[in-house]
Amino acid sequence: MDRFADPSLPATLRGTVDTMTFVPDPGPTPRGTRGRPVAVLLAALLLGVAALAPASVEAASTTMVPACSGVNVRTGPSTTASVKARLSTSTKVTTVALVTGTAWTTVCAGTKSGSTWYRISAVNGKAVRSLYGVSYLYAASGVLKGTPAAAVPPTATVPPTATVPSTSTVPPTPDAYGAELMRLVNLDRAALGLPALPIDAGLASIARDAPFTCPTNPTLVIRGRAQDMADRSYFAHTVAGCNLAGTTTPYPGLTIVRSVFGYALARSEILHWNKYGSAPTTYVLGCDINGNACAGGTATAPATVAIAQRNFMGSSPHRTSELGSFERFGCGSATVPGTTTTYFACIFSDSGSSWSPGTLPTATPTPTPAAPTPSPSPTPPVPPVAAPPGTQQMVPACSSVNIRAGASTTSAIVTTLGATDAVTVVATVPGSAWSTGCSAATAGSTWYVVSAVNGQPVSAAYGVAALFAATGVLAPTPAVAPTPAPGTVPGAPGTPPTTAPGAGPVTLGPSVTFYGRGTGHGVGLSQYGARGRALAGQDAPTILAHYYPGTMIGLMPPAPPIRVLLLSGAPFATDSPLIMFGRGGTWSIDGNPAVFPADARLRLIPPPAGAVTAWQMIVDDATGAILLNGPAPADLRVRGTTPATTLELPASSPPYDIFRGALHVSMAGANADVVNEVAIEDYLRGVVPAEMPASWPTAALTAQAIAARSYAAYQLRPGVSTFDVYDDTRSQVYLGVLAETPAIDAVIAATAGQVLFSGGQIVGALFHSADGGATENNENVFVSPTGARIASPVAALRGSPDRDPNGISYDATSPYATWQTLAYTPAQLSIIFAADPRTNVGTLMALDLHDRGVSGRLISVTLVGSAGTRTVSGTVFIAAFNAGRPAGDPMMRSTLFDLAPIP
């Protein structure tokens, strides 16, 4: 990064370059399902060396806090004892003794080791016994520290002439400096006559301390930008120690933001550090790059924040970013404990992400389930609108229906609908001819005009007045089955009632904490549950029979290659073409007689802007010699000509960008789709290690392989759509050749062709990370935004208890077998839920949590407040909480939660 230009700063305070902190991960954590990846909190790195007989030193109780985020607290003073919880830096624990246990090492707030452990009697003032059912928990003495003195909140006055629009404000967060920096950014913009940039809580969390795993080294868990720099006292725009695959070149930090966290259009990352502390100082607004011609008045801010912003606005690249036309941004800060040295980071982006703060959407081998739920809207949710007279609610007639910008098959695809999405149609108009195999072979030239998707106006979600869909790919919304009477669940005799008789709203007390179990949707196989069952001696058929009742394992019929969408509408330009390489063997382009050598490169170059010429294709070999130069067809396939050939697509998800099979490229305008057509067995070699760690028991891996194969086979739609599955959490995570491992290859080979059948049909075998002790019926999970049941019950996806004979959940080794949020006042919760129109009820006064499924998961939640009541699905409720909570606070991880600990 460029040096900062402020001449008033000592040389030691001027930045050069930045990076992030590495903490070895205790092991991959399975992720949640489609669009909601499950977060891996930062491990405390407690590495056992030797077992010692515990000897305690009793002491008066002391309140302590974690020295870093993600501190493990265990059931005994040993690194082999079970991890009961992982603490954030804002958690307070009560220690009552110092005991001797096994040796440990940690890099939490500095590298150290020892063999003494703190005995913990309470967490956040609540007895360990009531929270976790044990008398005490234990933490290595190196990962706790004394409670810091209460910080004086920074003062921040804003003159009336420089107010920030309400759309840019966020609730108070533990990162007061980061919040202040974002405030100053928008005050400077306002002073210069620019609109405020909306604050993205995800970007703010990444800029501060969001954890993730190095994409090329799953043993490295890295903290967010500012926190990592503070932890390791360095400053760089690359991620030290996390190198690009096969090189010694560190990952660029912005690439991590794009490829790991899903902000594909993140365009700037700006950084700073200084030692100026929290004393209030005056910041002059609206100055030019030299600090002169200031036109916006003043604001009071902590000195360290004012200096950071002063340097950002005094650096040309930084100023360009701050004053550019981005869609969103977020800033974070971290201070080195015991010092005034503070690191800052800001990230600016033109897009959002399905990731939300606290989650870990990374391409490392961590289980991620598939679920038939629609992807999040690319913009913050807006209130669903009532359909005007003459409109019609419709649903896709098949999966992956394209919604376009115009009534033409050549119009850009704005979004692709999943099977459970819904649209509002306001008119039928003539357009270009189309044909489809969706539901049935049909053709025509009439198009539906779509005004809303999933209740959200397309003007707000996509910035256009209307979208269009061919009339053959939509169908009327099916009638919804009546809601069962209290105490009954159709198709599940003997299961607990979904509605507790006599239950109603519960008035909130002065402090509210949500307690939960499990992570993910809870339907089908629990990955941590499968691990627990395997460790208990169960084989794969037994595991599968429990999670998919009534199914049998059989061989799937011969199937075509599965088509995996790698790139969708990706933009390219004459100076940044679409590039592919053939690796390991010769390759060819369908329709062209030439066979190209290994390592030859294909460049597909779009025509110049405004031109109507075809794309150009150029192939050159490793020496640069041109082997092919000519126009490219709008649709082409690249494939290997030997079994050893693989294809590299750098634009996909580096470093996982090498694939078997063929790459099918479709080009329109300056955009291209790329689909990997690959045999299902080869596809699984890139899926299973991304969904479950190779080190887990063979029985669990076998169950995962059969479930993943069943899901893939169920999704095949030859002749109906251009692709079958996504390569991410909307389907199953697929990382291609570079994720393959010999151990999992052996499991896949041993189960070749095996899938689950129910009623003679292949099962769409959903799975998730951890069920918290029970799985759920599919129709109770995949509901409308208001909690109405819209899915038909699936016989193979019935919920049931998932505990061993002693009552212990089989997923007990999951870091989220149990979880809880921080305590909030009703006023704080009101701010959190008011940020989402779906849950805004003014001042929140009560919650109705009685509408539950067979596992106890919430189907719907009713919020009662000063502005009325709103009923939303359990999924919408936790999404609103997670999006609105202060950055860094623990998130809600499943709809299995309550206002008291769940046994």
Side-chain angles (χ1 to χ4, degrees), residues 253-433:
L254 199 57
T255 300
I256 294 288
V257 176
R258 292 168 176 165
S259 62
V260 173
F261 288 100
Y263 287 88
L265 296 182
R267 289 198 282 134
S268 182
E269 178 189 50
I270 60 181
L271 308 162
H272 178 69
W273 71 283
N274 66 59
K275 300 180 180 180
Y276 277 74
S278 60
T281 189
T282 298
Y283 179 81
V284 183
L285 299 166
C287 304
D288 64 22
I289 195 169
N290 298 313
N292 301 318
C294 305
T298 63
T300 301
T304 189
V305 180
I307 292 297
Q309 177 62 5
R310 175 180 171 188
N311 278 278
F312 287 165
M313 293 298 283
S315 162
S316 182
H318 295 167
R319 188 181 187 89
T320 299
S321 295
E322 291 208 11
L323 303 181
S325 56
F326 289 90
E327 180 185 302
R328 58 190 69 209
F329 85 118
C331 301
S333 76
T335 301
V336 178
T339 76
T340 59
T341 301
T342 304
Y343 292 78
F344 295 89
C346 291
I347 304 169
F348 295 79
S349 180
D350 280 341
S351 72
S353 167
S354 61
W355 178 81
S356 58
T359 66
L360 182 58
T362 148
T364 56
T366 55
T368 307
T373 55
S375 301
S377 172
T379 57
V382 297
V385 293
T391 63
Q392 183 179 9
Q393 300 302 307
M394 305 194 77
V395 295
C398 60
S399 186
S400 300
V401 162
N402 290 327
I403 305 296
R404 299 179 179 270
S408 168
T409 54
T410 61
S411 295
I413 297 172
V414 176
T415 187
T416 301
L417 303 182
T420 59
D421 290 340
V423 299
T424 302
V425 169
V426 293
T428 303
V429 297
S432 72

Side-chain angles (χ1 to χ4, degrees), residues 579-597:
I579 296 174
M580 299 180 192
F581 295 89
R583 302 296 192 190
T586 55
W587 56 278
S588 65
I589 301 172
D590 284 9
N592 189 294
V595 175
F596 304 107

Side-chain angles (χ1 to χ4, degrees), residues 434 458 492 591 597 643 807:
W434 51 261
V458 298

Side-chain angles (χ1 to χ4, degrees), residues 36-37 201-202 205 355-359 514 519 819 821 824 832-833 836 874-895:
R36 301 284 183 208
S205 186
W355 178 81
S356 58
T359 66
F514 296 107
T519 182
W819 51 265
T821 67
Y824 299 92
I832 289 172
F833 287 112
D836 190 322
T875 301
V876 168
F877 183 87
I878 64 173
F881 175 87
N882 289 338
R885 80 197 193 288
D889 281 11
M891 65 188 297
M892 300 181 75
R893 301 191 172 276
S894 79
T895 56

Side-chain angles (χ1 to χ4, degrees), residues 773-857:
T775 56
E776 185 54 75
N777 293 347
N778 71 287
E779 71 275 13
N780 292 337
V781 172
F782 304 113
V783 297
S784 78
T786 60
R789 291 178 179 84
I790 56 176
S792 299
V794 176
L797 301 177
R798 302 293 84 199
S800 64
D802 193 23
R803 296 175 181 262
D804 69 14
N806 296 317
I808 298 174
S809 176
Y810 278 109
D811 70 352
T813 59
S814 166
Y816 309 116
T818 61
W819 51 265
Q820 69 183 75
T821 67
L822 297 184
Y824 299 92
T825 66
Q828 290 172 319
L829 289 177
S830 298
I831 294 172
I832 289 172
F833 287 112
D836 190 322
R838 298 172 297 181
T839 54
N840 182 9
V841 291
T843 300
L844 182 64
M845 298 182 290
L847 291 172
D848 189 337
L849 303 177
H850 79 277
D851 187 13
R852 297 180 180 272
V854 298
S855 69
R857 283 171 172 78

Side-chain angles (χ1 to χ4, degrees), residues 643-736:
T645 305
T646 57
L647 302 171
E648 181 179 353
L649 179 67
S652 56
S653 298
Y656 297 97
D657 57 3
I658 297 180
F659 306 96
R660 301 184 187 278
L663 295 179
H664 177 199
V665 185
S666 302
M667 294 158 280
N671 301 86
D673 295 347
V674 180
V675 174
N676 183 200
E677 300 173 343
V678 59
I680 283 186
E681 299 303 312
D682 284 337
Y683 165 70
L684 293 175
R685 295 170 68 186
V687 166
V688 177
E691 298 289 359
M692 187 173 281
S695 60
W696 281 19
T698 300
L701 291 169
T702 301
Q704 176 70 75
I706 294 173
R709 186 183 290 109
S710 299
Y711 178 84
Y714 180 82
Q715 296 297 320
L716 292 174
R717 297 184 301 277
V720 174
S721 63
T722 57
F723 68 97
D724 302 308
V725 292
Y726 297 91
D727 66 345
D728 57 27
T729 52
R730 289 171 290 180
S731 298
Q732 302 181 119
V733 173
Y734 170 60
L735 302 179

